[in-house]
Amino acid sequence: MDDNVEDCPVCLITFNETFRRPRNLPCGHTHCTFCINELKEQGAVTCPTCRVSHALPEAGQFPISYITESFIRKMRGLASVVPKPMKQLTASAPVTQPAPGATAGLSKKTRSLLQEQEAKILAAICSCQEEQSQLADYLITLGGWDGHQQQLEDELQMLVDQSKGARETIRREKCRVEGRQEEVRRREEALHAALQALRTPATRHKVYEVIDNTDNLLEEEERVTVFPDVHVVTTVNKVAETSRAALQAATATQTAMEAAGNAAAVVQGTPFFLRAMRRPPP
């Protein structure tokens, strides 16, 4: 741990300025935001290092360890932080370059603050682009589920009602994802606008105003919804499993009826066949 102070001691992943920001617990130990959120239980968090339990603050989050972030940035060097996310930006969302001399009249410390905020904005933009890619893949998966459910309806008419329910859930989820794509696009545009604003302030007062605005945008980025929706995935999988089980039961019953080759088998097998198809989801 002492040799890798830039890593969270729980997940061993390097701290960053988006979803794994370092946060200080009252006992003095520092862990990333993700790990602390995972440790929340009944309004308290038990420190994984010293096992002391701490009540959650009213804001719901422990304070960010700015000194840890500054130390990590100093270790890496600003020159190695800024170019990396810029290489990942797509051609559809170009990043404007700062106007020559736009910040020439500002102090070195003030320009350093602008550079730090720029690095945060660039990281958030890359996060938006990665999320767009993940959402697009998720839509393809949802489309595959939709087609599979339609096939199950064709094979087993008695399960049409359940399959239609599952398809309606998928349709709503697809609409939600498409709406989320538009939301992410608007967020990315706002981040680009904030990035441009960071590069053109002319006064110290304007600098701090711009930094406050970008901090609000970055806080919104930390509250993004996780996809896919576990409830949707569980519901679709349960309906699919029930459909397969019913189809297998119907096939087995039909085979037994043909092997028996008598009326008794038909009388005894038909109710079983119907019960198998009408079995509710587990």
Side-chain angles (χ1 to χ4, degrees), residues 216-269:
N216 292 334
L217 288 174
L218 293 170
E219 287 177 2
E220 292 179 5
E221 287 298 309
E222 293 183 355
R223 295 194 294 267
V224 296
T225 305
V226 178
F227 281 82
D229 189 317
V230 174
H231 174 72
V232 172
V233 175
T234 302
T235 300
V236 172
N237 284 338
K238 282 186 176 181
V239 172
E241 290 171 2
T242 302
S243 301
R244 293 190 194 97
L247 182 60
Q248 290 173 0
T251 301
T253 301
Q254 184 65 30
T255 301
M257 290 166 58
E258 292 175 355
N262 55 57
V266 174
V267 173
Q268 296 174 3

Side-chain angles (χ1 to χ4, degrees), residues 9-272:
V10 176
C11 63
L12 303 181
I13 296 177
T14 301
F15 293 118
N16 59 38
E17 295 173 332
T18 53
F19 304 110
R20 294 190 182 273
R21 299 191 76 174
R23 293 185 182 272
N24 289 331
L25 297 178
C27 59
H29 293 114
T30 303
H31 306 285
C32 74
T33 301
F34 180 85
C35 288
I36 290 179
N37 289 339
E38 289 292 305
L39 294 170
K40 289 180 181 179
E41 184 176 353
Q42 297 181 351
V45 168
T46 299
C47 176
T49 303
C50 64
R51 308 308 299 169
V52 174
S53 181
H54 307 289
L56 285 175
E58 292 183 1
Q61 285 286 10
F62 293 98
I64 295 172
S65 179
Y66 292 105
I67 190 170
T68 301
E69 289 187 334
S70 299
F71 179 70
I72 293 174
R73 283 195 296 269
K74 184 175 181 180
M75 290 176 60
R76 296 173 178 171
L78 288 175
S80 62
V81 175
V82 176
K84 183 177 180 180
M86 290 180 65
K87 292 180 180 179
Q88 297 175 353
L89 297 177
T90 61
S92 62
V95 177
T96 58
Q97 297 298 321
T103 60
L106 301 175
S107 67
K108 183 177 180 180
K109 181 178 180 180
T110 303
R111 288 198 301 271
S112 177
L113 288 174
L114 290 175
Q115 289 176 332
E116 291 177 8
Q117 291 298 112
E118 180 177 330
K120 294 178 184 179
I121 290 293
L122 288 170
I125 291 173
C126 289
S127 177
C128 282
Q129 294 176 343
E130 291 175 2
E131 186 176 351
Q132 285 279 28
S133 176
Q134 293 171 359
L135 290 171
D137 292 341
Y138 185 35
L139 278 175
I140 294 174
T141 302
L142 288 170
W145 286 344
D146 188 23
H148 183 63
Q149 288 303 135
Q150 182 63 61
Q151 181 180 357
L152 289 175
E153 287 179 11
D154 295 338
E155 293 175 349
L156 197 58
Q157 187 61 37
M158 291 296 291
L159 290 175
V160 165
D161 292 340
Q162 293 183 27
S163 287
K164 284 185 176 180
R167 293 180 62 205
E168 177 61 19
T169 299
I170 294 172
R171 187 193 65 79
R172 290 196 300 268
E173 183 72 348
K174 289 174 68 176
C175 291
R176 190 167 72 97
V177 172
E178 291 168 349
R180 180 58 179 277
Q181 284 185 310
E182 178 62 22
E183 176 190 336
V184 173
R185 184 190 64 78
R186 290 195 297 268
R187 292 207 321 265
E188 184 176 358
E189 290 178 353
L191 289 167
H192 276 289
L195 179 62
Q196 182 63 24
L198 281 170
R199 293 173 168 178
T200 56
T203 66
R204 183 183 182 86
H205 174 74
K206 189 65 177 178
V207 167
Y208 286 105
E209 179 181 347
V210 170
I211 289 176
D212 287 341
N213 292 337
T214 56
D215 280 339
N216 292 334
L217 288 174
L218 293 170
E219 287 177 2
E220 292 179 5
E221 287 298 309
E222 293 183 355
R223 295 194 294 267
V224 296
T225 305
V226 178
F227 281 82
D229 189 317
V230 174
H231 174 72
V232 172
V233 175
T234 302
T235 300
V236 172
N237 284 338
K238 282 186 176 181
V239 172
E241 290 171 2
T242 302
S243 301
R244 293 190 194 97
L247 182 60
Q248 290 173 0
T251 301
T253 301
Q254 184 65 30
T255 301
M257 290 166 58
E258 292 175 355
N262 55 57
V266 174
V267 173
Q268 296 174 3
T270 301
F272 175 79

